[in-house]
Structures are given as structure tokens and as C-alpha cells.
């Protein structure tokens, strides 16, 4: 919570320091002509002789005579007076203008935005965008209500003019037409209207700007003031401009929808024709295989822009980029052999290898550690969890089995072209695995029958033994099933890949580690669970399964708060639709920093955020086995099931609802 407050103050300090002129944030083309501050200013300043009499009303709007106000020699510069008053208003808003319930909303909002936009923006940028868009747009009533209260107490007309304008920030999407001095001449995308805006950095004609702005006056002209979250878009990225324009045209109710336009957009600006072809080949492959990792296209773009590359054909370079991405574990779990990538792109394995080596060397020169270690610092954001396989695993496994059994590149290509061809297992081990995939999506007697058949075909099949756990009644028998699955997994594990998770046949073993760790937690064997889950995190540092949450839960169950803190140093507690927020609260309760009224606010916030969880906490039932499959969405029943499972029995949880 304190982090959000600090960021909020920092945000307004930046805004405050950007405009130290007489009419800060004045001038609004949306106002009626009679209320336009530019017209007010013009009317106020015009006199027949061009001179202000000493007995005339002072132009600042104080109501005093000019000689007794700004006309006195000792009078402080009017600009300084107004700046000070406006600064005081801003600081008062920071200190008292935000209710605790809004601060909770800000915390929750930042968490959600981080989970959605982390592939497109850095953490600090996302925090600024989330907070700025809430206060100035999505919940502008917070800011507007405060300003209206201030307008009732201030008498100086210049200040009132500015406060009137402050109530109406708006989103701008405009192209730089020319730069004169430190002023940008910009054309708005939708209406074609021309605007002036103060220069932000080293802008160039043809670049686009998108973000929230507030109008004001400078030297009698309307000038827009960009807020901190203003984003620059290079001119050739027209598809992004068009996406933003379409969403602005439809109206903006939720700012996150606007910024989601940046997710998945391939930057192709300033590329040669050959480089554009390479990017298109990479993007096409990513789409065909259902890959969703924008880092692949990011590596491709950076490599093409910065690396000295002499190539005549795009196919080999694109194949090399894709192979390097696969080696770095960026295929999101899809394992595609080199010969398949080469065949798909129409090049040779030798050419692919040459460019893959170039790309990998290029990338590793620019990072301080290998990708595997980097993933350990920044785990992926998990959107589904459970002891069952991901829905995409079976088709990926079948595709791998088909290509592994192929004898030549021509045969592989033929197989890939037959996308709907049903896979026929070649061995008992393959038949058993296919039965297990089918069993995971079945229930009742059908599920049990498939598990028994799989065990008859292959008694050491990892998934068959994991599935059989639910049919064992005694804890000792369940443990033996888990250990059988783990022993079989250790024997079949192939750790020759850059990421163990990326090779589909390794996943049943990783699933066994996860499932056994979860089972140990429910048995109260937390030390053993920590060992299992730590091993899993070491093998799969990207943590596609969300094992970090189980490990954190195990630490807190044992009272090892220091180790829990060390673990959370490696990932943001705000990840995964705010799950970490509950661990934040547990930590605050443990350290005793929450006052009674803050505990009541916490309880009410938890109740409002996810009523399903609050009901579970009130009921207090034992959570049972870890769920087979959960889709994590904010406020959903699945999120409630996960959080309840994780925090059940931890010290302090009773205060969440008691």
C-alpha cells in the first residue's frame, strides 16, 4: 500500500514541476466559446488605452484595487502566487483527497495491469499508466469532486480558471507535423484538428503521441500539457495507431482496453524490405504454432536492428531466430525440432544453425546472465494452475510423437501438412500416455477405467500413477503412487534442453513434483514439501506451473517468514491477478503494523474483492486436494479456491473474516 501512495505522490510531483507558467493547464477547446479561458483572458486584458488604472480592479481577480494588490512594488510576482496556490491544492489532494478505499482500488488495479501488460511495458511504466488513468479518466470523479470543492473556497479568478480546466483531461492520439523551438505542432488522428504541445524529448515529425493531456495557455495560445504516461509511437507502426484510433472512436470506458492495443503488436518501424520479410516469417510461424510470447518478436526486431547482418534471403535468418528463441525456452512449452523449423521456413538445417548461433551470441552479449537464470528472477505470470496437464499439452505431445517417428525431412513436412490426422500410438508406452491424457478430462467410472488400462500397458507411466493416487484410500498407498511416478520421471527426464519444461515428455515428471509437493502440504509435511517444490523451481525457474505460490505457502506454514521474504524478492507479489495481495496482508498481520481500523478495512476489502473467498473463509472447511485445473481471473471462484488452499491454516488468516 505504501508503494502505491509513494508512486502517487511522485506522479503529481512530476506533473507539478512541468508547468511553472502563469496559466498552467489553461485553454480547453471542449469548453463553450463564452467560457473559453483564452476568450476570458482576452476580454480581461483589453482596455481602450491599453493601461490598467491603479484604482481599477486587479487583473488577478482578487477583487482588490490594482494599487493595493499586484500594482504594489513589493507585490510578489503574480505567477509565483498562482503557482504556490496551485501547488498547495495538488499537495492537499495527495494528502487528503484519496480515501483508503481508493488506495485499495489502486493497489488492485496496479496488480491487474501488471498481469496484462507486462509483455509490452516495464513495471514502473505500467504502475504510472494504471494510476494516472484511474485518477484522470476511469475514476475522474475522485479528482473532479476534489477540484469542485476547491473552487468553492478560492476567490482568485486565475486559479478558478485553471481549476475549471483541470476537471477535463482527455486522451490524445496525434502525429507530430513540425517542431518549432520547444513546441510541437500536432495533428489529431480522428478529427484532424491541430494542437500545440510542449516538447517532451527529441521528437521528430512523423512520430505519434498517445496518452492523457491537460490543456492550458502559453503566450495567448492553447498548449497541451502531456501527463507522465505519454507514449511515443514511431511513424511506421501504423497498425498500432489504427488499433488505438478504433478504440478511441468507440469510446473509452476502461483505459486498460486502450493500452492492451500495445500487446502483441510487432514493431516493424525503420526496417528494410528484407528485414520486414524476416519479421513476417517469424510472426507467421509464431501464429501458426499458437505461440504467445512477444519476446520472440522482440528478439527478432532487436537483432535485425542492431546486428551486422549480411544475408540475401530471409528464410534462413528467420529460421535461425526461431531456433534461438526455442533454445532460450521462449516457445511457451512447444518443442519443435530443428529440421521441422528449417522445413517450415524453406531452408536447410545448416543455414538455420549458422544464424541461430549468431542470434544466441548477440542476445547473450546483452544480458548479464543466461536466460534460465534471468527467468528465475522474473517468473512468468501464470494464468492457469492445477495438477492436470494444460489443455494444449496433448496436441503438442501428439505432434512431437508424429515427427519423432518420421524418417526424413520430406516425411516430416508431409505430416505437418496433415493437421487433422489422428495420431496412432506405436508402442504400449505411447498408448498408455494417450489414455492418460484422455483420462484427465474424464470423470467417474470412465476416468478410472482409462487409468487402469494405462497402468496395464505401462505400470511405470508417470501420469498413470499420478491419476491412480485418487483411487488409493490409505495415505501410505498414495505416497507409494507418488514415489513411483517420481522414480519413473527421474529415469525418463531429458535435461539436454535449454528449458526442461519446453520438452513435452518432461512435463509429467514436473507435474509429479508439483502434485507431490501439494499433497505433502495437505499432510502437514511442510519441510518435505519445501524440498520437492524447491527442486521443481530449480528445474523450471520460469515457473510455468505457479509452484512459487505453493512454496511460499509452505514457508509460512512453518513460520519461516525470512525465507518467504527471500523467495518473494525474486518475484512480484502483485503478479497473477493480485493473489500476492493476500500474502502482503499476512505479512502485515505477522509484523503487527496494522491498526484495528486498518484490519477492519482489510477485511472489508477482501470481502468486496472476492466474495467467494470471503464465504470460504467464513465457512472454514478443509480445502482438500489441490484442484486439477484452475483458470485465474480476478474475483472468480477459481481464484478463490486457489487463495483459500494456499492460506488455509496460516497464522493470521482468521482475521481476514473473523
Amino acid at each position: 500500500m505504501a508503494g502505491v501512495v509513494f508512486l502517487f505522490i511522485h506522479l503529481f510531483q512530476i506533473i507539478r514541476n512541468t508547468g511553472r507558467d502563469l496559466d498552467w493547464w489553461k485553454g480547453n477547446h471542449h469548453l463553450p466559446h463564452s467560457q473559453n479561458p483564452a476568450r476570458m483572458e482576452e476580454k480581461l486584458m483589453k482596455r481602450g488605452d491599453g493601461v490598467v488604472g491603479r484604482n481599477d480592479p486587479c487583473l488577478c481577480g482578487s477583487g482588490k484595487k490594482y494599487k493595493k494588490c499586484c500594482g504594489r512594488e513589493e507585490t510578489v510576482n503574480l505567477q509565483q502566487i498562482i503557482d504556490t496556490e496551485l501547488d498547495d491544492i495538488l499537495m492537499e489532494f495527495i494528502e487528503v483527497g484519496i480515501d483508503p478505499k481508493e488506495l485499495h482500488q489502486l493497489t488492485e488495479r496496479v496488480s491487474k495491469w501488471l498481469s496484462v501488460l507486462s509483455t509490452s511495458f516495464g513495471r514502473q511504466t505500467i504502475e504510472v499508466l494504471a494510476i494516472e488513468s484511474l485518477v484522470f479518466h476511469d475514476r475522474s470523479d475522485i479528482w473532479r469532486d476534489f477540484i469542485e470543492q476547491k473552487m468553492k473556497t478560492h476567490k482568485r479568478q486565475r486559479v478558478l480558471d485553471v481549476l475549471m480546466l483541470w476537471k477535463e483531461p482527455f486522451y490524445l492520439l496525434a502525429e507530430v507535423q513540425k517542431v518549432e523551438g520547444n513546441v510541437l505542432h500536432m495533428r489529431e488522428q480522428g478529427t484532424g484538428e491541430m494542437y500545440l504541445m510542449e516538447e517532451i524529448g527529441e521528437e521528430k515529425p512523423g512520430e505519434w503521441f498517445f496518452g492523457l493531456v491537460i490543456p492550458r495557455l502559453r503566450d495567448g495560445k492553447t498548449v497541451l500539457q502531456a501527463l507522465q504516461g505519454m507514449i511515443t509511437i514511431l511513424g511506421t507502426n501504423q497498425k498500432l495507431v489504427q488499433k488505438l484510433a478504433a478504440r478511441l472512436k468507440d469510446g473509452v470506458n476502461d483505459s486498460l482496453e486502450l493500452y492492451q492495443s500495445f500487446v502483441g503488436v510487432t514493431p516493424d518501424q525503420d526496417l528494410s524490405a528484407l528485414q520486414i520479410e524476416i519479421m513476417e516469417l517469424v510472426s507467421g510461424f509464431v501464429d501458426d504454432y499458437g505461440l504467445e510470447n512477444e519476446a520472440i518478436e522482440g528478439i527478432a526486431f532487436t537483432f535485425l536492428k542492431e546486428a551486422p547482418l549480411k544475408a540475401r534471403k530471409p528464410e534462413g535468418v528467420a529460421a535461425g531466430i526461431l531456433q534461438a528463441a526455442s533454445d532460450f525456452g521462449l516457445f511457451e512449452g512447444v518443442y519443435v525440432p530443428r529440421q521441422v523449423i528449417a522445413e517450415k521456413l524453406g531452408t536447410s538445417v545448416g543455414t538455420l544453425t549458422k544464424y541461430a548461433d549468431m542470434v544466441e551470441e548477440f542476445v547473450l552479449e546483452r544480458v548479464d546472465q543466461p536466460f534460465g537464470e534471468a527467468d528465475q528472477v522474473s517468473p512468468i505470470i501464470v494464468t492457469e494452475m492445477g495438477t492436470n496437464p494444460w489443455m494444449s499439452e496433448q496436441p503438442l505431445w501428439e505432434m512431437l510423437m508424429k515427427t519423432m517417428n518420421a524418417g526424413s525431412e520430406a516425411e516430416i513436412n508431409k505430416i505437418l501438412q496433415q493437421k487433422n490426422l489422428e495420431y496412432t500410438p506405436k508402442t504400449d508406452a505411447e498408448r498408455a500416455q494417450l489414455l492418460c491424457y484422455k483420462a484427465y478430462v474424464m470423470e467417474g467410472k470412465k476416468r478410472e477405467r482409462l487409468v487402469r488400462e494405462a497402468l496395464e500397458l505401462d505400470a511405470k507411466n508417470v501420469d498413470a500413477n499420478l491419476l491412480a493416487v485418487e483411487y488409493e484410500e490409505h495415505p501410505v498407498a498414495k505416497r507409494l503412487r507418488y514415489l513411483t511416478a517420481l522414480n519413473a520421471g527421474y529415469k525418463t527426464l531429458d535435461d539436454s534442453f535449454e528449458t526442461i519444461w519446453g520438452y513435452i515428455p518432461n512435463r509429467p515428471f514436473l507435474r509429479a513434483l508439483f502434485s507431490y509437493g501439494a499433497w505433502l502440504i495437505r499432510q502437514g509435511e511442510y519441510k518435505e514439501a519445501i524440498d520437492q517444490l524447491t527442486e521443481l523451481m530449480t528445474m523450471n525457474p520460469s515457473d510455468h506451473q505457479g509452484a512459487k505460490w505453493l512454496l511460499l505457502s509452505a514457508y509460512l506454514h512453518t513460520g519461516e517468514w525470512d525465507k518467504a521474504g527471500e523467495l518473494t524478492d525474486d518475484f512480484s507479489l502483485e503478479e497473477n491477478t493480485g493473489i500476492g495481495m493476500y500474502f502482503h496482508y499476512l505479512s502485515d498481520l505477522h509484523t503487527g503494523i496494522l491498526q484495528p481500523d486498518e484490519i477492519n478495512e482489510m477485511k472489508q476489502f477482501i470481502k468486496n474483492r472476492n466474495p467467494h473467498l470471503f464465504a470460504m473463509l467464513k465457512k472454514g472447511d478443509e480445502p482438500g486436494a489441490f484442484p486439477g485445473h484452475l483458470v485465474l481471473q480476478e474475483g472468480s471462484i477459481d481464484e478463490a479456491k486457489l487463495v483459500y488452499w494456499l492460506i488455509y491454516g496460516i497464522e493470521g488468516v482468521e482475521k481476514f473474516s473473523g
Side-chain angles (χ1 to χ4, degrees):
M1 188 68 65
V4 173
V5 176
F6 173 79
L7 177 64
F8 194 71
I9 294 173
H10 177 64
L11 170 64
F12 275 98
Q13 285 175 335
I14 291 175
I15 295 172
R16 182 189 67 195
N17 292 333
T18 55
R20 293 284 184 178
D21 59 283
L22 178 63
D23 299 308
W24 181 36
W25 283 354
K26 289 183 68 176
N28 190 337
H29 68 283
H30 296 300
L31 292 176
H33 184 73
S34 61
Q35 297 179 5
N36 189 294
R39 299 291 297 170
M40 293 179 183
E41 188 79 4
E42 180 182 2
K43 180 179 179 181
L44 187 63
M45 294 299 294
K46 280 188 175 180
R47 290 177 53 89
D49 55 6
V51 177
V52 181
R54 289 180 55 76
N55 290 315
D56 289 342
C58 186
L59 296 182
C60 73
S62 65
K64 299 179 182 179
K65 292 183 179 181
Y66 179 73
K67 67 182 180 181
K68 293 184 177 292
C69 189
C70 297
R72 294 185 301 174
E73 290 183 359
E74 66 271 24
T75 298
V76 178
N77 183 281
L78 179 58
Q79 176 178 336
Q80 295 177 354
I81 295 174
I82 295 178
D83 284 345
T84 299
E85 291 186 12
L86 293 174
D87 286 351
D88 290 344
I89 292 172
L90 281 173
M91 293 309 299
E92 184 179 353
F93 177 64
I94 293 168
E95 293 170 359
V96 301
I98 307 296
D99 291 336
K101 61 181 180 180
E102 268 85 37
L103 292 177
H104 282 303
Q105 184 180 1
L106 285 173
T107 302
E108 186 178 18
R109 182 182 179 91
V110 168
S111 172
K112 180 178 180 180
W113 282 50
L114 284 168
S115 68
V116 174
L117 302 177
S118 60
T119 58
S120 301
F121 301 106
R123 180 183 182 85
Q124 184 175 359
T125 299
I126 295 173
E127 290 174 340
V128 169
L129 295 177
I131 295 173
E132 195 174 74
S133 62
L134 179 76
V135 175
F136 288 106
H137 190 275
D138 295 2
R139 283 290 314 279
S140 58
D141 58 291
I142 301 171
W143 168 246
R144 189 165 52 248
D145 290 348
F146 178 82
I147 293 301
E148 288 176 353
Q149 291 299 317
K150 293 295 102 183
M151 292 182 70
K152 295 177 182 178
T153 60
H154 278 265
K155 296 181 179 180
R156 194 182 300 279
Q157 188 59 47
R158 291 284 185 84
V159 174
L160 292 174
D161 291 346
V162 174
L163 294 180
M164 175 66 73
L165 295 171
W166 278 6
K167 295 195 295 182
E168 300 296 336
F170 63 95
Y171 276 109
L172 176 73
L173 177 63
E175 182 183 16
V176 178
Q177 302 295 306
K178 63 179 179 178
V179 182
E180 288 184 350
N182 64 343
V183 176
L184 308 176
H185 294 249
M186 309 186 70
R187 186 184 301 278
E188 199 270 331
Q189 197 278 340
T191 64
E193 187 170 353
M194 294 297 298
Y195 289 95
L196 300 178
M197 188 168 76
E198 282 193 339
E199 189 176 22
I200 301 174
E202 298 181 356
E203 292 77 22
K204 298 181 295 185
E207 292 181 342
W208 289 77
F209 282 90
F210 170 70
L212 284 163
V213 294
I214 299 179
R216 58 185 180 82
L217 283 178
R218 178 178 290 282
D219 299 329
K221 297 179 181 179
T222 302
V223 179
L224 299 181
Q225 175 69 54
L227 300 186
Q228 188 184 3
M230 182 64 69
I231 298 172
T232 304
I233 304 171
L234 297 187
T236 53
N237 206 341
Q238 287 299 305
K239 58 184 177 182
L240 174 56
V241 172
Q242 295 305 317
K243 285 177 70 174
L244 287 168
R247 291 187 173 180
L248 286 170
K249 184 178 180 181
D250 292 339
V252 183
N253 295 318
D254 182 357
S255 293
L256 181 57
E257 295 180 0
L258 278 177
Y259 291 104
Q260 281 181 292
S261 301
F262 291 84
V263 177
V265 174
T266 304
D268 56 1
Q269 54 269 23
D270 296 338
L271 296 180
S272 67
L274 176 65
Q275 291 171 329
I276 291 174
E277 283 189 70
I278 295 170
M279 286 297 302
E280 289 174 348
L281 288 171
V282 171
S283 298
F285 187 94
V286 168
D287 291 340
D288 288 346
Y289 279 85
L291 307 178
E292 298 180 356
N293 196 327
E294 285 76 19
I296 299 173
E297 293 171 343
I299 286 176
F301 178 76
T302 306
F303 174 73
L304 294 173
K305 288 288 289 182
E306 298 183 16
L309 181 66
K310 295 182 179 180
R312 291 178 297 175
K313 296 182 179 181
E315 294 82 6
V317 182
I321 291 171
L322 290 165
Q323 182 58 51
S326 177
D327 291 341
F328 285 133
L330 299 178
F331 270 22
E332 290 293 324
V334 179
Y335 170 68
V336 185
R338 288 182 176 233
Q339 62 267 31
V340 173
I341 297 176
E343 186 75 20
K344 188 78 172 178
L345 273 295
T347 188
S348 67
V349 173
T351 302
L352 172 150
T353 302
K354 179 181 76 172
Y355 287 112
D357 291 344
M358 289 177 59
V359 175
E360 290 177 13
E361 182 180 356
F362 169 83
V363 171
L364 292 176
E365 285 178 352
R366 284 157 176 76
V367 296
D368 295 328
Q369 62 268 329
F371 264 57
E373 295 178 22
D375 283 341
Q376 192 168 3
V377 176
S378 302
I380 68 168
I381 293 177
V382 178
T383 57
E384 59 179 311
M385 283 182 67
T387 54
N388 292 355
W390 287 9
M391 296 300 292
S392 60
E393 184 174 321
Q394 180 182 342
L396 293 173
W397 176 82
E398 291 185 12
M399 184 271 289
L400 178 61
M401 293 300 104
K402 291 176 185 178
T403 55
M404 286 180 65
N405 293 329
S408 64
E409 290 187 11
E411 188 176 349
I412 290 174
N413 191 47
K414 183 179 179 180
I415 291 171
L416 292 174
Q417 293 174 358
Q418 299 173 324
K419 294 183 179 180
N420 297 322
L421 182 64
E422 185 176 351
Y423 174 63
T424 303
K426 301 296 190 298
T427 66
D428 284 347
E430 291 182 12
R431 293 185 187 95
Q433 186 61 47
L434 188 56
L435 287 172
C436 289
Y437 282 130
K438 293 179 179 180
Y440 273 117
V441 297
M442 294 290 183
E443 295 180 355
K445 294 296 184 181
K446 289 184 178 179
R447 179 184 178 104
E448 185 175 1
R449 177 177 56 80
L450 291 171
V451 173
R452 302 301 180 194
E453 290 180 10
L455 286 170
E456 289 177 5
L457 289 169
D458 184 4
K460 299 299 184 182
N461 181 279
V462 175
D463 275 324
N465 281 279
L466 291 179
L467 284 160
V469 168
E470 66 181 280
Y471 305 113
E472 304 289 356
E473 295 184 4
H474 198 280
V476 173
K478 289 181 181 292
R479 190 187 304 272
L480 288 175
R481 284 292 185 188
Y482 279 122
L483 294 177
T484 300
L486 288 169
N487 288 333
Y490 280 115
K491 292 177 181 178
T492 59
L493 177 67
D494 188 342
D495 59 0
S496 64
F497 294 86
E498 186 72 24
T499 60
I500 291 177
W501 174 264
Y503 183 56
I504 300 299
N506 286 334
R507 292 197 187 178
F509 174 54
L510 298 176
R511 191 155 45 246
L513 285 170
F514 182 94
S515 300
Y516 188 44
W519 184 78
L520 289 170
I521 289 176
R522 285 278 63 87
Q523 301 304 303
E525 300 178 34
Y526 303 118
K527 296 291 187 182
E528 293 80 0
I530 289 170
D531 291 340
Q532 291 292 129
L533 296 167
T534 300
E535 181 179 5
L536 176 56
M537 290 287 289
T538 302
M539 289 186 174
N540 183 27
S542 295
D543 192 23
H544 299 78
Q545 299 162 279
K548 61 176 175 285
W549 300 112
L550 274 68
L551 184 54
L552 182 58
S553 176
Y555 277 135
L556 296 189
H557 273 100
T558 59
E560 297 181 78
W561 294 89
D562 290 340
K563 289 187 177 179
E566 293 174 4
L567 175 63
T568 56
D569 285 343
D570 288 343
F571 63 91
S572 167
L573 276 177
E574 282 79 17
E575 289 175 354
N576 299 88
T577 62
I579 296 170
M581 179 188 65
Y582 300 96
F583 289 100
H584 270 308
Y585 279 139
L586 286 171
S587 178
D588 290 344
L589 289 168
H590 172 70
T591 55
I593 66 173
L594 294 181
Q595 300 301 313
D597 59 331
E598 293 176 316
I599 293 177
N600 290 332
E601 290 177 4
M602 171 196 72
K603 183 171 65 175
Q604 188 62 39
F605 180 62
I606 289 173
K607 182 177 181 180
N608 294 336
R609 186 187 187 282
N610 194 320
H612 304 292
L613 175 62
F614 193 79
M616 292 177 185
L617 289 166
K618 292 290 286 186
K619 196 172 182 180
D621 290 345
E622 213 281 341
F626 196 88
H629 184 253
L630 297 170
V631 177
L632 303 181
Q633 294 179 335
E634 182 179 324
S636 69
I637 184 67
D638 275 7
E639 181 196 57
K641 289 178 181 178
L642 173 60
V643 174
Y644 185 69
W645 195 98
L646 292 169
I647 67 177
Y648 178 82
I650 296 176
E651 177 189 353
V653 169
E654 67 279 358
K655 294 185 179 179
F656 282 5
S657 61

